[in-house]
Amino acid sequence: MPSVDHKHEQGLLKNFFEHDDVVEQFKKLDNPEQMIQFMWKAPSFQNFLRGNSEQIFGKSDGDTRRFREMGNKLFKAGKDEEAIKMFNKAVMKAPVNDSGEGRDLSLAIANRSAALLKLGVMKGALEDIEFAFVSGYPTDLRYKLFERKIKILIQLNENDSALHMLDQFKLALEDSTLEDDKKCKLKYEIETLLQSVEHDTSQPSNSEKKTNEKSLKLKLGESHPH
């Protein structure tokens, strides 16, 4: 007979994931990062973040921007976990339209992806990038997310997926308000990065791999929140 604690745990998981089959999938995971990714992608959790009750949390342009700015300061100070907490609050306070979209919402989510990236939660950062896109992320800024996504995919050794992002990155870059010389410079940097991945068909030595990873991590760290 299941213990009271087991029943309580099962009940909590059912309340969170809503479906028994999803609960069973989660219970089979034993890797903490996999658990985080699974919970992050759970529709119930994403719905909570995007459409939580105004009666409970209240929506406010001023509050969401204040929390986002606090998160930005923590991010710049290297306090990434605390920054994520502020970005979460910014998400909860962000007003949205009937489609669940909102500029402030998308900016908070995008900033959270940058903090997750610094913590090494690559797949979580990717999920937030997609979440930001569907939440109404500004067209003139989308190139930043495509740039970040390409670099993360390379870091995850998903080189083909990164290469397929190039055209989307170029289109997004054209929609940006960057000066032409800056557009050309950034386009060249990404094309060069992807060409190095595309042409490197041999297995690098351990020392070369570590050097490449260090270089890429430095480039990934160039992302800045809004």
Side-chain angles (χ1 to χ4, degrees):
M1 181 178 178
S3 67
V4 175
D5 287 343
H6 177 75
K7 287 183 177 180
H8 182 62
E9 176 187 357
Q10 190 76 8
L12 289 174
L13 291 174
K14 176 66 179 296
N15 287 337
F16 183 83
F17 291 114
E18 298 180 348
H19 300 287
D20 290 327
D21 57 335
V22 181
V23 171
E24 292 306 314
Q25 291 178 45
F26 176 76
K27 290 170 68 176
K28 291 178 182 178
L29 302 176
D30 54 11
N31 182 292
E33 183 174 351
Q34 290 178 338
M35 292 179 178
I36 292 173
Q37 297 303 327
F38 194 91
M39 294 176 70
W40 202 273
K41 291 186 287 186
S44 57
F45 184 62
Q46 294 298 337
N47 289 337
F48 167 77
L49 290 177
R50 293 182 64 181
N52 50 77
S53 171
E54 293 188 16
Q55 287 77 20
I56 296 175
F57 297 103
K59 304 293 186 178
S60 167
D61 290 329
D63 284 344
T64 187
R65 291 168 189 170
R66 178 169 58 85
F67 283 127
R68 190 172 79 242
E69 183 57 32
M70 290 170 66
N72 291 346
K73 290 179 179 178
L74 290 167
F75 178 87
K76 292 175 182 177
K79 299 178 180 180
D80 303 310
E81 292 183 3
E82 294 179 39
I84 288 174
K85 292 179 182 179
M86 291 298 107
F87 293 141
N88 284 342
K89 290 184 178 181
V91 168
M92 293 178 184
K93 289 290 185 179
V96 295
N97 60 22
D98 292 338
S99 300
E101 299 176 350
R103 177 186 172 88
D104 288 312
L105 171 67
S106 68
L107 291 176
I109 295 167
N111 290 4
R112 188 173 64 189
S113 78
L116 286 168
L117 175 56
K118 282 186 65 180
L119 289 173
V121 186
M122 300 290 183
K123 292 184 179 180
L126 280 178
E127 290 294 332
D128 262 358
I129 287 173
E130 295 304 320
F131 192 14
F133 280 139
V134 301
S135 297
Y137 195 72
T139 301
D140 62 316
L141 299 176
R142 289 191 167 217
Y143 75 93
K144 295 185 177 184
L145 292 190
F146 281 116
E147 177 190 7
R148 187 180 301 165
K149 184 174 182 178
I150 286 171
K151 291 177 178 179
I152 294 174
L153 288 171
I154 294 174
Q155 187 78 352
L156 292 171
N157 294 319
E158 297 182 22
N159 297 338
D160 287 341
S161 297
L163 289 165
H164 291 154
M165 286 285 106
L166 180 58
D167 287 341
Q168 294 181 66
F169 166 75
K170 288 180 179 179
L171 289 173
L173 189 59
E174 288 304 311
D175 289 331
S176 75
T177 57
L178 289 176
E179 296 177 357
D180 288 342
D181 59 334
K182 291 183 178 179
K183 286 183 181 180
C184 290
K185 181 180 179 181
L186 184 54
K187 179 182 176 183
Y188 174 77
E189 289 176 356
I190 295 300
E191 286 180 334
T192 301
L193 178 63
L194 289 173
Q195 285 171 5
S196 68
V197 171
E198 186 177 23
H199 295 154
D200 185 15
T201 56
S202 61
Q203 289 291 332
S205 65
N206 289 335
S207 61
E208 289 174 330
K209 186 175 181 181
K210 289 180 180 178
T211 300
N212 291 339
E213 288 178 349
K214 182 177 180 181
S215 176
L216 183 57
K217 285 179 180 178
L218 288 173
K219 291 179 181 179
L220 285 170
E222 294 172 0
S223 298
H224 298 290
H226 311 290

Coordinates of all heavy atoms in Angstrom, one line a residue, residues 36-120:
I36 N 14.7 19.5 -15.0 CA 14.5 20.9 -15.1 C 13.9 21.2 -16.5 O 12.9 22.0 -16.7 CB 15.8 21.8 -14.9 CG1 16.2 21.7 -13.4 CG2 15.6 23.2 -15.3 CD1 17.5 22.3 -13.2
Q37 N 14.5 20.6 -17.5 CA 14.1 20.8 -18.9 C 12.6 20.3 -19.1 O 11.8 20.9 -19.7 CB 15.0 20.0 -19.9 CG 16.4 20.5 -19.9 CD 16.5 21.9 -20.2 OE1 15.7 22.5 -21.0 NE2 17.5 22.6 -19.7
F38 N 12.3 19.1 -18.5 CA 11.0 18.5 -18.6 C 10.0 19.4 -18.0 O 8.9 19.7 -18.5 CB 11.0 17.2 -17.9 CG 9.8 16.3 -18.2 CD1 9.8 15.4 -19.3 CD2 8.7 16.4 -17.5 CE1 8.7 14.7 -19.6 CE2 7.5 15.6 -17.7 CZ 7.6 14.8 -18.8
M39 N 10.3 20.0 -16.8 CA 9.4 20.8 -16.1 C 9.2 22.2 -16.8 O 8.1 22.7 -16.9 CB 9.8 21.1 -14.6 CG 9.8 19.9 -13.8 SD 10.5 20.2 -12.1 CE 9.3 21.2 -11.4
W40 N 10.3 22.6 -17.4 CA 10.3 23.9 -18.1 C 9.3 23.8 -19.3 O 8.6 24.8 -19.6 CB 11.7 24.2 -18.6 CG 11.9 25.7 -18.8 CD1 11.7 26.4 -20.0 CD2 12.4 26.7 -17.9 NE1 12.0 27.7 -19.8 CE2 12.4 27.9 -18.6 CE3 12.8 26.6 -16.6 CZ2 12.9 29.1 -18.0 CZ3 13.3 27.7 -16.0 CH2 13.3 29.0 -16.7
K41 N 9.4 22.7 -20.0 CA 8.5 22.5 -21.2 C 7.1 22.1 -20.9 O 6.3 22.1 -21.8 CB 9.2 21.5 -22.1 CG 10.5 22.0 -22.7 CD 11.0 21.0 -23.7 CE 11.6 19.7 -23.1 NZ 12.2 18.9 -24.1
A42 N 6.8 21.8 -19.7 CA 5.5 21.4 -19.3 C 4.5 22.5 -19.7 O 4.6 23.6 -19.3 CB 5.4 21.1 -17.8
P43 N 3.4 22.2 -20.5 CA 2.4 23.2 -20.8 C 1.8 23.9 -19.7 O 1.6 25.1 -19.7 CB 1.4 22.3 -21.6 CG 2.1 21.2 -22.1 CD 3.1 20.8 -21.1
S44 N 1.6 23.2 -18.6 CA 1.0 23.8 -17.4 C 1.9 24.9 -16.8 O 1.4 26.0 -16.4 CB 0.8 22.8 -16.3 OG 1.9 22.1 -16.0
F45 N 3.2 24.7 -16.9 CA 4.2 25.7 -16.3 C 4.3 26.9 -17.3 O 4.2 28.0 -16.8 CB 5.6 25.1 -16.2 CG 6.6 26.0 -15.5 CD1 6.4 26.5 -14.3 CD2 7.7 26.4 -16.2 CE1 7.3 27.3 -13.7 CE2 8.6 27.2 -15.7 CZ 8.4 27.7 -14.4
Q46 N 4.3 26.6 -18.6 CA 4.4 27.7 -19.5 C 3.1 28.5 -19.5 O 3.1 29.8 -19.6 CB 4.7 27.2 -21.0 CG 6.0 26.5 -21.1 CD 7.2 27.5 -20.9 OE1 7.0 28.7 -21.0 NE2 8.3 27.0 -20.5
N47 N 2.0 27.8 -19.4 CA 0.7 28.6 -19.3 C 0.6 29.4 -18.1 O 0.1 30.5 -18.1 CB -0.5 27.6 -19.3 CG -0.7 26.9 -20.7 OD1 -0.2 27.5 -21.7 ND2 -1.3 25.8 -20.7
F48 N 1.2 28.9 -17.0 CA 1.2 29.7 -15.7 C 2.0 30.9 -15.9 O 1.6 32.0 -15.5 CB 1.9 28.8 -14.6 CG 2.2 29.6 -13.4 CD1 1.3 30.0 -12.5 CD2 3.6 29.9 -13.2 CE1 1.6 30.7 -11.4 CE2 3.9 30.7 -12.0 CZ 2.9 31.1 -11.1
L49 N 3.2 30.8 -16.6 CA 4.0 32.0 -16.7 C 3.4 33.0 -17.7 O 3.5 34.2 -17.5 CB 5.4 31.6 -17.3 CG 6.3 30.8 -16.3 CD1 7.6 30.4 -17.0 CD2 6.6 31.7 -15.1
R50 N 2.7 32.5 -18.7 CA 2.2 33.4 -19.8 C 0.9 34.0 -19.4 O 0.6 35.1 -19.7 CB 2.1 32.7 -21.1 CG 3.4 32.3 -21.7 CD 3.3 31.6 -23.0 NE 2.6 32.5 -24.0 CZ 2.4 32.1 -25.3 NH1 2.6 30.9 -25.6 NH2 1.8 33.0 -26.1
G51 N 0.0 33.2 -18.8 CA -1.3 33.7 -18.6 C -1.8 33.6 -17.2 O -3.0 33.3 -16.9
N52 N -0.9 33.8 -16.2 CA -1.4 33.7 -14.8 C -2.4 34.8 -14.5 O -2.4 35.8 -15.1 CB -0.2 33.8 -13.8 CG 0.7 35.0 -14.1 OD1 0.4 36.1 -13.8 ND2 1.8 34.7 -14.8
S53 N -3.2 34.5 -13.5 CA -4.4 35.3 -13.2 C -4.0 36.7 -12.8 O -3.2 37.0 -11.9 CB -5.2 34.6 -12.0 OG -6.2 35.5 -11.6
E54 N -4.7 37.7 -13.4 CA -4.5 39.1 -13.1 C -5.0 39.3 -11.7 O -4.5 40.2 -11.0 CB -5.2 40.0 -14.1 CG -4.6 39.9 -15.5 CD -5.2 41.0 -16.4 OE1 -5.9 41.9 -15.8 OE2 -5.0 40.9 -17.6
Q55 N -6.0 38.6 -11.2 CA -6.6 38.8 -9.9 C -5.5 38.4 -8.8 O -5.5 39.0 -7.8 CB -7.8 37.9 -9.7 CG -9.1 38.4 -10.5 CD -9.0 38.1 -11.9 OE1 -8.2 37.2 -12.3 NE2 -9.8 38.8 -12.7
I56 N -4.7 37.4 -9.1 CA -3.7 37.0 -8.2 C -2.5 37.8 -8.2 O -1.9 38.3 -7.2 CB -3.3 35.5 -8.4 CG1 -4.6 34.6 -8.2 CG2 -2.2 35.1 -7.4 CD1 -4.3 33.2 -8.5
F57 N -1.9 38.0 -9.4 CA -0.6 38.7 -9.6 C -0.8 40.2 -9.9 O 0.1 41.0 -9.6 CB 0.2 38.0 -10.6 CG 0.5 36.5 -10.2 CD1 -0.2 35.5 -10.8 CD2 1.5 36.3 -9.3 CE1 0.1 34.2 -10.5 CE2 1.7 35.0 -8.9 CZ 1.1 33.9 -9.5
G58 N -1.7 40.5 -10.7 CA -1.8 41.9 -11.2 C -0.8 42.2 -12.3 O 0.3 41.7 -12.2
K59 N -1.3 42.8 -13.4 CA -0.4 43.2 -14.5 C 0.0 44.6 -14.4 O -0.9 45.5 -14.1 CB -1.0 42.8 -15.8 CG -1.5 41.4 -15.9 CD -0.4 40.4 -16.0 CE -0.9 39.0 -16.3 NZ 0.2 38.0 -16.4
S60 N 1.3 44.9 -14.7 CA 1.7 46.3 -14.6 C 2.9 46.5 -15.4 O 3.9 45.9 -15.3 CB 2.0 46.7 -13.1 OG 2.7 47.9 -13.0
D61 N 2.8 47.5 -16.4 CA 3.9 47.9 -17.2 C 5.1 48.3 -16.3 O 6.2 47.9 -16.5 CB 3.5 49.0 -18.1 CG 2.6 48.6 -19.2 OD1 2.6 47.4 -19.6 OD2 1.7 49.4 -19.6
G62 N 4.8 49.1 -15.3 CA 5.9 49.7 -14.5 C 6.5 48.6 -13.7 O 7.8 48.5 -13.6
D63 N 5.7 47.7 -13.1 CA 6.3 46.6 -12.3 C 7.2 45.6 -13.1 O 8.3 45.3 -12.7 CB 5.2 45.8 -11.6 CG 4.6 46.5 -10.4 OD1 5.3 47.5 -9.9 OD2 3.5 46.2 -9.9
T64 N 6.7 45.2 -14.3 CA 7.4 44.3 -15.1 C 8.8 44.9 -15.5 O 9.8 44.2 -15.5 CB 6.6 43.8 -16.3 OG1 7.4 42.7 -16.9 CG2 6.4 44.9 -17.3
R65 N 8.8 46.2 -15.9 CA 10.0 46.8 -16.3 C 10.9 47.0 -15.1 O 12.2 46.9 -15.3 CB 9.7 48.2 -17.0 CG 9.0 48.0 -18.3 CD 8.4 49.2 -18.9 NE 7.6 48.9 -20.0 CZ 6.8 49.8 -20.6 NH1 6.7 51.0 -20.2 NH2 6.0 49.4 -21.7
R66 N 10.4 47.3 -14.0 CA 11.2 47.5 -12.8 C 11.9 46.1 -12.4 O 13.1 46.1 -12.1 CB 10.4 47.9 -11.6 CG 11.1 48.1 -10.3 CD 10.3 48.8 -9.3 NE 9.0 48.2 -9.0 CZ 8.9 47.2 -8.1 NH1 9.9 46.8 -7.4 NH2 7.7 46.6 -7.9
F67 N 11.1 45.0 -12.4 CA 11.7 43.7 -12.1 C 12.8 43.3 -13.2 O 13.8 42.8 -12.9 CB 10.6 42.7 -12.0 CG 9.9 42.7 -10.8 CD1 8.5 42.7 -10.8 CD2 10.5 42.7 -9.5 CE1 7.7 42.7 -9.6 CE2 9.8 42.7 -8.3 CZ 8.4 42.7 -8.4
R68 N 12.5 43.7 -14.4 CA 13.4 43.3 -15.5 C 14.7 44.1 -15.3 O 15.8 43.6 -15.5 CB 12.8 43.6 -16.9 CG 13.7 43.0 -18.0 CD 13.0 43.2 -19.4 NE 13.0 44.5 -20.0 CZ 12.0 45.2 -20.2 NH1 10.8 44.8 -20.0 NH2 12.2 46.4 -20.8
E69 N 14.6 45.4 -15.0 CA 15.8 46.2 -14.8 C 16.6 45.7 -13.6 O 17.9 45.6 -13.6 CB 15.4 47.6 -14.6 CG 16.6 48.6 -14.4 CD 17.6 48.5 -15.6 OE1 17.1 48.3 -16.7 OE2 18.8 48.7 -15.3
M70 N 15.9 45.3 -12.5 CA 16.6 44.7 -11.4 C 17.3 43.4 -11.8 O 18.5 43.1 -11.4 CB 15.6 44.4 -10.3 CG 15.0 45.6 -9.6 SD 13.6 45.2 -8.5 CE 14.5 44.3 -7.2
G71 N 16.7 42.6 -12.6 CA 17.3 41.4 -13.1 C 18.5 41.7 -14.0 O 19.5 41.0 -13.9
N72 N 18.4 42.7 -14.8 CA 19.6 43.1 -15.6 C 20.8 43.5 -14.8 O 21.9 43.2 -15.1 CB 19.2 44.3 -16.5 CG 18.2 43.9 -17.6 OD1 17.9 42.8 -17.9 ND2 17.5 44.9 -18.2
K73 N 20.5 44.2 -13.7 CA 21.6 44.6 -12.8 C 22.3 43.4 -12.2 O 23.5 43.4 -12.0 CB 21.1 45.6 -11.8 CG 20.7 47.0 -12.4 CD 20.2 47.9 -11.3 CE 19.9 49.3 -11.9 NZ 19.3 50.2 -10.9
L74 N 21.4 42.5 -11.7 CA 22.0 41.3 -11.1 C 22.7 40.4 -12.1 O 23.8 39.9 -11.8 CB 20.8 40.5 -10.5 CG 20.1 41.1 -9.3 CD1 18.8 40.3 -9.0 CD2 21.1 40.9 -8.1
F75 N 22.2 40.4 -13.3 CA 22.9 39.7 -14.4 C 24.3 40.2 -14.7 O 25.3 39.5 -14.8 CB 22.0 39.7 -15.7 CG 22.6 39.1 -16.9 CD1 22.4 37.7 -17.1 CD2 23.4 39.8 -17.8 CE1 23.0 37.1 -18.2 CE2 23.9 39.2 -18.9 CZ 23.7 37.8 -19.1
K76 N 24.4 41.5 -14.8 CA 25.6 42.2 -15.0 C 26.6 42.0 -13.9 O 27.8 42.1 -14.1 CB 25.4 43.7 -15.3 CG 24.7 43.9 -16.6 CD 24.4 45.4 -16.8 CE 23.6 45.7 -18.1 NZ 23.2 47.1 -18.3
A77 N 26.1 41.8 -12.7 CA 26.9 41.6 -11.5 C 27.3 40.2 -11.3 O 28.0 39.8 -10.4 CB 26.2 42.1 -10.2
G78 N 26.8 39.3 -12.2 CA 27.2 37.9 -12.2 C 26.3 37.1 -11.3 O 26.6 35.9 -11.0
K79 N 25.2 37.7 -10.8 CA 24.3 37.0 -9.9 C 23.2 36.4 -10.7 O 22.0 36.9 -10.6 CB 23.8 37.9 -8.8 CG 24.9 38.5 -7.9 CD 24.4 39.5 -6.9 CE 25.5 40.0 -6.0 NZ 25.1 41.0 -5.0
D80 N 23.5 35.4 -11.4 CA 22.5 34.9 -12.5 C 21.3 34.2 -11.9 O 20.2 34.4 -12.4 CB 23.3 33.9 -13.4 CG 24.5 34.5 -14.0 OD1 24.4 35.6 -14.6 OD2 25.6 33.9 -14.0
E81 N 21.4 33.5 -10.8 CA 20.3 32.8 -10.2 C 19.3 33.8 -9.7 O 18.1 33.7 -9.8 CB 20.7 31.8 -9.1 CG 21.4 30.6 -9.7 CD 21.8 29.6 -8.6 OE1 21.4 29.8 -7.4 OE2 22.5 28.6 -8.9
E82 N 19.8 34.9 -9.0 CA 19.0 35.9 -8.5 C 18.4 36.7 -9.7 O 17.2 37.2 -9.6 CB 19.8 36.9 -7.6 CG 20.3 36.2 -6.3 CD 21.1 37.2 -5.5 OE1 20.8 38.3 -5.4 OE2 22.1 36.7 -4.9
A83 N 19.1 36.9 -10.7 CA 18.6 37.6 -11.9 C 17.4 36.8 -12.5 O 16.4 37.4 -12.9 CB 19.7 37.7 -13.0
I84 N 17.5 35.5 -12.5 CA 16.4 34.7 -13.1 C 15.1 34.9 -12.2 O 14.0 35.0 -12.7 CB 16.8 33.2 -13.1 CG1 17.8 33.0 -14.2 CG2 15.6 32.3 -13.3 CD1 18.4 31.6 -14.3
K85 N 15.3 35.0 -10.9 CA 14.1 35.2 -10.0 C 13.4 36.5 -10.4 O 12.2 36.6 -10.4 CB 14.6 35.2 -8.6 CG 15.0 33.9 -8.1 CD 15.5 33.9 -6.6 CE 16.0 32.6 -6.1 NZ 16.5 32.7 -4.7
M86 N 14.2 37.6 -10.7 CA 13.7 38.9 -11.0 C 13.0 38.8 -12.4 O 11.9 39.4 -12.6 CB 14.7 39.9 -11.0 CG 15.3 40.3 -9.7 SD 14.0 41.0 -8.6 CE 13.7 39.6 -7.5
F87 N 13.6 38.1 -13.3 CA 13.0 37.9 -14.7 C 11.7 37.2 -14.6 O 10.7 37.4 -15.3 CB 14.0 37.3 -15.6 CG 15.2 38.1 -15.9 CD1 16.5 37.5 -16.1 CD2 15.1 39.5 -16.1 CE1 17.6 38.3 -16.4 CE2 16.2 40.3 -16.4 CZ 17.5 39.6 -16.5
N88 N 11.6 36.2 -13.7 CA 10.4 35.4 -13.5 C 9.3 36.4 -13.0 O 8.1 36.3 -13.4 CB 10.6 34.3 -12.5 CG 11.3 33.1 -13.1 OD1 11.4 33.0 -14.3 ND2 11.9 32.3 -12.2
K89 N 9.7 37.2 -12.1 CA 8.7 38.2 -11.6 C 8.2 39.2 -12.7 O 7.1 39.5 -12.8 CB 9.3 39.0 -10.4 CG 9.4 38.1 -9.1 CD 10.0 39.0 -8.0 CE 10.1 38.1 -6.7 NZ 10.6 38.9 -5.6
A90 N 9.2 39.5 -13.5 CA 8.9 40.4 -14.6 C 7.9 39.7 -15.6 O 7.0 40.3 -16.1 CB 10.1 40.8 -15.4
V91 N 8.1 38.4 -15.8 CA 7.2 37.6 -16.6 C 5.8 37.6 -16.1 O 4.8 37.8 -16.8 CB 7.7 36.2 -16.8 CG1 6.6 35.3 -17.4 CG2 9.0 36.2 -17.6
M92 N 5.7 37.4 -14.8 CA 4.4 37.3 -14.1 C 3.6 38.7 -14.1 O 2.4 38.7 -14.2 CB 4.6 36.9 -12.7 CG 5.1 35.5 -12.5 SD 5.3 35.0 -10.8 CE 6.0 33.4 -10.9
K93 N 4.4 39.8 -14.1 CA 3.7 41.1 -14.1 C 3.5 41.7 -15.5 O 2.8 42.7 -15.6 CB 4.6 42.1 -13.3 CG 4.6 41.8 -11.8 CD 3.3 42.2 -11.2 CE 3.3 42.1 -9.7 NZ 2.0 42.4 -9.1
A94 N 4.0 41.0 -16.5 CA 3.9 41.6 -17.9 C 2.5 41.5 -18.5 O 1.9 40.4 -18.5 CB 4.9 40.8 -18.8
P95 N 1.9 42.6 -18.9 CA 0.6 42.5 -19.6 C 0.7 41.8 -20.9 O 1.8 41.9 -21.6 CB 0.3 44.0 -19.8 CG 1.2 44.8 -18.8 CD 2.4 43.9 -18.7
V96 N -0.3 41.1 -21.3 CA -0.4 40.4 -22.6 C -1.7 40.7 -23.3 O -2.7 41.1 -22.6 CB -0.2 38.9 -22.4 CG1 1.2 38.6 -21.8 CG2 -1.3 38.3 -21.4
N97 N -1.7 40.5 -24.6 CA -3.0 40.6 -25.3 C -3.7 39.3 -25.3 O -3.4 38.4 -24.6 CB -2.7 41.1 -26.7 CG -1.8 40.1 -27.5 OD1 -1.7 38.9 -27.2 ND2 -1.1 40.6 -28.6
D98 N -4.8 39.2 -26.1 CA -5.6 38.0 -26.0 C -4.9 36.8 -26.6 O -5.3 35.7 -26.3 CB -6.9 38.3 -26.9 CG -7.8 39.3 -26.3 OD1 -7.7 39.5 -25.0 OD2 -8.7 39.9 -27.0
S99 N -3.8 37.0 -27.3 CA -3.1 35.9 -27.9 C -1.9 35.5 -26.9 O -1.1 34.6 -27.3 CB -2.5 36.3 -29.2 OG -3.6 36.6 -30.1
G100 N -1.8 36.1 -25.8 CA -0.8 35.8 -24.8 C 0.6 36.5 -25.2 O 1.6 36.0 -24.7
E101 N 0.5 37.5 -26.0 CA 1.7 38.2 -26.4 C 1.9 39.5 -25.7 O 0.9 40.2 -25.4 CB 1.7 38.4 -27.9 CG 1.7 37.1 -28.7 CD 1.6 37.4 -30.2 OE1 1.4 38.6 -30.6 OE2 1.7 36.4 -31.0
G102 N 3.1 40.0 -25.6 CA 3.4 41.3 -25.0 C 4.9 41.6 -25.1 O 5.7 40.7 -24.8
R103 N 5.2 42.8 -25.4 CA 6.6 43.2 -25.6 C 7.4 43.0 -24.3 O 8.5 42.4 -24.3 CB 6.7 44.7 -26.0 CG 8.1 45.2 -26.1 CD 8.2 46.7 -26.4 NE 9.5 47.2 -26.4 CZ 10.4 47.2 -27.4 NH1 10.0 46.7 -28.6 NH2 11.6 47.6 -27.3
D104 N 6.9 43.5 -23.2 CA 7.6 43.3 -21.9 C 7.7 41.9 -21.5 O 8.8 41.5 -20.9 CB 6.9 44.1 -20.8 CG 7.1 45.6 -21.0 OD1 8.2 46.1 -21.2 OD2 6.1 46.3 -20.9
L105 N 6.7 41.1 -21.8 CA 6.8 39.6 -21.5 C 7.9 39.0 -22.3 O 8.8 38.3 -21.7 CB 5.5 38.9 -21.9 CG 5.5 37.4 -21.8 CD1 5.6 36.9 -20.4 CD2 4.2 36.9 -22.4
S106 N 8.0 39.3 -23.6 CA 9.0 38.7 -24.4 C 10.4 39.1 -24.1 O 11.4 38.3 -24.1 CB 8.7 39.0 -25.9 OG 8.9 40.4 -26.2
L107 N 10.6 40.4 -23.7 CA 11.9 40.9 -23.3 C 12.4 40.2 -22.0 O 13.5 39.8 -21.8 CB 11.9 42.4 -23.1 CG 11.7 43.2 -24.3 CD1 11.5 44.7 -24.0 CD2 12.8 43.0 -25.3
A108 N 11.4 40.0 -21.0 CA 11.8 39.3 -19.8 C 12.2 37.9 -20.0 O 13.2 37.4 -19.4 CB 10.6 39.4 -18.8
I109 N 11.5 37.2 -20.9 CA 11.8 35.8 -21.2 C 13.2 35.7 -21.9 O 14.0 34.8 -21.6 CB 10.7 35.2 -22.1 CG1 9.4 35.1 -21.3 CG2 11.1 33.8 -22.6 CD1 8.2 34.8 -22.2
A110 N 13.4 36.6 -22.9 CA 14.7 36.7 -23.6 C 15.9 36.9 -22.6 O 16.9 36.3 -22.7 CB 14.7 37.7 -24.7
N111 N 15.7 37.8 -21.7 CA 16.7 38.1 -20.7 C 17.0 36.9 -19.8 O 18.1 36.6 -19.4 CB 16.3 39.3 -19.8 CG 16.4 40.6 -20.6 OD1 16.6 40.6 -21.8 ND2 16.1 41.7 -19.9
R112 N 15.9 36.2 -19.5 CA 16.0 34.9 -18.7 C 16.8 33.9 -19.4 O 17.6 33.2 -18.8 CB 14.6 34.4 -18.3 CG 14.7 33.2 -17.3 CD 13.3 32.9 -16.9 NE 12.5 32.4 -18.0 CZ 11.1 32.2 -17.9 NH1 10.5 32.4 -16.8 NH2 10.5 31.7 -18.9
S113 N 16.7 33.9 -20.8 CA 17.4 32.9 -21.5 C 18.9 33.2 -21.5 O 19.8 32.3 -21.4 CB 17.0 32.9 -23.0 OG 17.5 34.0 -23.7
A114 N 19.3 34.5 -21.4 CA 20.7 34.9 -21.3 C 21.3 34.4 -19.9 O 22.4 33.9 -19.9 CB 20.8 36.4 -21.5
A115 N 20.5 34.6 -18.9 CA 20.9 34.2 -17.6 C 21.0 32.6 -17.5 O 22.0 32.1 -16.9 CB 19.9 34.7 -16.5
L116 N 20.1 31.9 -18.1 CA 20.2 30.5 -18.1 C 21.4 30.0 -18.8 O 22.1 29.0 -18.5 CB 18.9 29.9 -18.7 CG 17.6 29.9 -17.9 CD1 16.4 29.6 -18.8 CD2 17.7 29.0 -16.7
L117 N 21.7 30.7 -19.9 CA 22.9 30.4 -20.7 C 24.1 30.5 -19.9 O 25.0 29.6 -19.9 CB 22.9 31.3 -21.9 CG 24.2 31.2 -22.8 CD1 24.3 29.7 -23.3 CD2 24.0 32.1 -24.0
K118 N 24.3 31.6 -19.1 CA 25.4 31.8 -18.3 C 25.6 30.7 -17.2 O 26.7 30.4 -16.8 CB 25.4 33.2 -17.6 CG 25.8 34.3 -18.6 CD 25.9 35.6 -17.8 CE 27.0 35.6 -16.8 NZ 27.0 36.9 -16.1
L119 N 24.4 30.2 -16.8 CA 24.5 29.1 -15.8 C 24.7 27.7 -16.5 O 24.9 26.7 -15.8 CB 23.1 29.0 -15.1 CG 22.9 30.2 -14.1 CD1 21.4 30.1 -13.5 CD2 23.9 30.1 -12.9
G120 N 24.8 27.7 -17.8 CA 25.1 26.5 -18.5 C 23.8 25.6 -18.8 O 24.0 24.5 -19.2

